[in-house]
């Protein structure tokens, strides 16, 4: 039985109660002053939707096509490392829930289940996410395994040349592999049910010994000293192109210039993202960046957005500004913390119901019915209707 939850905010509240503070703050936190994190949410709230009235909206279609795969709603699951921190079934629950909702689950290379376990458990389409780490051979072996396991697309996250400064984690003493320390023991022991998730131990299950934490270490220190590669360039994308024949999607693009480079390097898709406000704190909100990127890309690659999507109406706003689909990071972890696989299913259902209701109230029948004229601004009433037809 999952608790009654009628919004993503409700699910976040359940997660807050169920998780130790150190874990909850690892999930909700952003970098430094959390400006980018807040900006993501505000960007959606600043926009209004301009309803059409007295149109027949008795039949609606929420599905979209992503690289030729039809998904039932344009909400996909974003890659999040160490998902088992939020709930025992971790990535398996997420992949199954996505499959039940006929949408895509993206597995992080920092996952706490293996590539093969998730592929085996899942019934729906899967994407696999990698970072451009300093150990090329580690990245290569992950990509080869994901291909063999039948993952459909490769997501390459490019906004982590170094870990963002997440001060909640520093204050709380968040370490990997996650285990109680002197600093966190009392907090953790106050959540006896959560303690069960620590068996078997939560580790980066895909990583070879060379890339695994050798002892308990602060998360950021591990990332910066063992994995990340500030020397990575667009050449790495060319290298991956030779290894991976399916779609390559670059995640973490926020400017038209970077989008142009991505297109020039032959990627198939772009996720406009500021990593949920966890990296460059002065980054623009993903939704604000989307407009410019959509104009620059002009339909040459498929565009997606993540960061701050908490309502069905957010998905509609992003679609009107050019995103084919959105990804959710924290919301799926709230669902996992609230009720495992069923909790994640509930999150996707909430968003589906909200999208459907918003379509009716908005006088629209499907995502092909949207363009920029749907969106207005609540700040000064200035409308964006001048813009070109939808670029999805
Ligand atoms: C706990 C957590 C772990 C994450 N781990 C990864 C990761 O391993 N790889 C990655 O590309 N992005 C990672 N992200 C970023 C998400 O993929 C996504 O960009 C972000 O969460 C979207 O914002 P939202 O949480 O507001 O939906 C992580 C985010 C969170 C909250």
């Amino acid at each position: 039985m999952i608790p009654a939850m009628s919004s993503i905010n409700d699910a976040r509240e359940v997660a807050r109660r169920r998780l130790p503070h150190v874990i909850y703050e690892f999930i909700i936190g952003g970098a430094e002053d959390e400006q980018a994190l807040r900006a993501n949410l505000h960007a959606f709230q600043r926009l209004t939707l301009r309803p059409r009235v007295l149109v027949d909206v008795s039949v609606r279609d929420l599905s979209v096509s992503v690289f030729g795969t039809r998904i039932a709603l344009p909400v996909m699951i974003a890659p999040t490392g160490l998902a088992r921190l939020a709930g025992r079934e971790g990535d398996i629950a997420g992949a199954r829930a996505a499959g039940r909702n006929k949408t895509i689950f993206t597995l992080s290379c920092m996952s706490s289940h293996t590539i093969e376990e998730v592929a085996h458990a899942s019934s729906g389409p899967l994407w696999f996410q990698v970072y451009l780490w300093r150990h090329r051979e580690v990245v290569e072996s992950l990509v080869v395994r994901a291909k063999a396991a039948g993952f459909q697309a490769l997501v390459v996250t490019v906004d982590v040349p170094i870990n963002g400064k997440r001060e909640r984690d520093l204050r709380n003493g968040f370490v990997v592999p996650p285990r109680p320390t002197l600093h966190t023991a009392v907090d953790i022991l106050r959540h006896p049910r959560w303690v069960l998730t620590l068996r078997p131990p939560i580790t980066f299950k895909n990583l070879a010994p060379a890339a695994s934490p050798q002892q308990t270490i602060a998360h950021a220190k591990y990332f910066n000293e063992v994995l990340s590669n500030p020397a990575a360039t667009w050449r790495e994308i060319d290298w991956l192109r030779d290894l991976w024949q399916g779609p390559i999607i670059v995640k973490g693009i926020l400017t038209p210039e970077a989008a142009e480079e991505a297109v020039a390097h032959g990627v198939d898709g772009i996720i406009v993202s500021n990593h949920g406000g966890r990296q460059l704190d002065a980054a623009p909100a993903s939704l604000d960046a989307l407009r410019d990127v959509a104009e620059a890309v002009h339909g040459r690659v498929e565009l997606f957005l993540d960061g701050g999507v908490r309502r069905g109406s957010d998905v509609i706003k992003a679609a009107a500004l050019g995103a084919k689909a959105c990804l959710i990071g924290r919301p799926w972890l709230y669902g996992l913390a609230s009720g495992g696989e069923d909790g994640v299913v509930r999150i996707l259902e909430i968003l589906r119901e909200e999208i459907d209701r918003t379509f009716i109230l908005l006088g629209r029948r499907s995502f092909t019915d949207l363009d920029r004229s749907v969106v207005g601004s609540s700040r000064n009433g200035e409308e964006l209707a001048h813009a070109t037809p939808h670029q999805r």
Side-chain angles (χ1 to χ4, degrees):
M1 266 284 281
I2 57 168
M5 304 187 290
S6 52
S7 68
I8 305 298
N9 279 338
D10 284 358
R12 191 194 55 208
E13 189 46 32
V14 177
R16 190 183 64 75
R17 289 198 304 269
R18 295 201 170 174
L19 297 174
H21 186 68
V22 55
I23 302 301
Y24 177 69
E25 289 222 313
F26 166 66
I27 293 170
I28 61 153
E32 298 178 1
D33 297 318
E34 303 190 331
Q35 292 187 70
L37 173 62
R38 281 193 301 277
N40 279 347
L41 303 168
H42 289 157
F44 282 109
Q45 286 165 6
R46 275 203 324 267
L47 294 188
T48 56
L49 290 172
R50 304 172 64 245
R52 264 191 328 220
V53 293
L54 296 179
V55 283
D56 178 358
V57 285
S58 52
V59 179
R60 296 163 309 282
D61 177 9
L62 270 49
S63 70
V64 298
S65 177
V66 171
F67 300 119
T69 299
R70 200 88 203 151
I71 55 174
L73 79 167
V75 178
M76 314 187 290
I77 296 200
T80 57
L82 291 175
R84 266 192 55 213
L85 288 173
R88 202 152 193 272
E89 308 154 73
D91 310 286
I92 302 256
R96 286 201 174 128
R100 277 165 65 186
N101 280 271
K102 301 201 168 33
T103 187
I104 293 165
F105 178 81
T106 312
L107 182 68
S108 163
C109 57
M110 308 288 284
S111 58
S112 37
H113 282 109
T114 65
I115 293 171
E116 293 75 14
E117 283 166 340
V118 172
H120 185 72
S122 161
S123 61
L126 296 170
W127 290 358
F128 184 66
Q129 175 262 328
V130 285
Y131 288 110
L132 299 170
W133 286 328
R134 67 186 70 166
H135 309 278
R136 254 198 183 191
E137 67 288 355
V138 175
V139 180
E140 178 167 348
S141 84
L142 291 171
V143 170
V144 168
R145 282 170 58 196
K147 188 155 105 180
F151 282 69
Q152 290 185 358
L154 187 66
V155 174
V156 187
T157 300
V158 294
D159 56 8
V160 191
I162 186 173
N163 219 55
K165 188 175 175 225
R166 306 183 193 153
E167 294 180 5
R168 292 182 199 250
D169 293 348
L170 298 173
R171 270 195 303 272
N172 294 333
F174 178 67
V175 293
V176 288
R179 63 170 63 119
T181 61
L182 266 182
H183 201 85
T184 56
V186 175
D187 171 29
I188 288 177
L189 291 174
R190 278 208 196 108
H191 296 82
R193 201 158 73 167
W194 183 85
V195 172
L196 298 176
T197 61
L198 291 170
R199 283 281 161 263
I202 302 175
T203 57
F204 299 111
K205 261 211 143 168
N206 283 310
L207 299 194
S212 296
Q214 301 302 311
Q215 74 266 322
T216 303
I217 180 171
H219 180 253
K221 192 169 158 66
Y222 163 59
F223 216 98
N224 295 341
E225 292 180 8
V226 181
L227 301 175
S228 56
N229 179 16
T233 67
W234 288 102
R235 276 202 300 276
E236 256 64 30
I237 302 291
D238 303 335
W239 166 69
L240 283 173
R241 188 76 280 176
D242 292 338
L243 286 180
W244 182 270
Q245 287 70 43
I248 292 186
I249 304 149
V250 178
K251 173 173 181 282
I253 298 289
L254 290 168
T255 65
E257 301 90 294
E260 283 293 353
E261 291 235 53
V263 173
H265 284 269
V267 307
D268 305 280
I270 288 175
I271 302 176
V272 176
S273 168
N274 62 18
H275 213 102
R278 293 162 82 82
Q279 287 297 109
L280 176 67
D281 193 30
S286 303
L287 188 72
D288 289 336
L290 174 65
R291 266 180 242 188
D292 295 344
V293 170
E295 257 162 38
V297 162
H298 206 72
R300 285 176 291 168
V301 300
E302 298 203 2
L303 270 189
F304 308 96
L305 169 134
D306 77 19
V309 174
R310 301 292 182 268
R311 289 283 180 192
S313 55
D314 295 343
V315 178
I316 291 177
K317 289 171 185 174
L321 294 179
K324 185 143 230 192
C326 292
L327 295 91
I328 50 169
R330 295 176 184 88
W332 92 266
L333 297 175
Y334 302 153
L336 183 59
S338 309
E341 179 182 327
D342 288 342
V344 186
V345 166
R346 180 73 194 121
I347 294 293
L348 291 166
E349 273 171 13
I350 288 171
L351 291 171
R352 181 204 308 279
E353 286 161 14
E354 288 183 352
I355 293 170
D356 195 40
R357 185 177 305 101
T358 305
F359 265 156
I360 301 173
L361 295 171
L362 195 58
R364 300 296 200 283
R365 281 178 288 265
S366 75
F367 282 91
T368 53
D369 241 4
L370 301 178
D371 60 38
R372 284 194 175 192
S373 68
V374 172
V375 173
S377 158
S378 63
R379 228 191 219 164
N380 50 15
E382 169 201 298
E383 256 123 42
L384 302 165
H386 54 84
T388 47
H390 64 89
Q391 299 129 322
R392 237 163 307 111

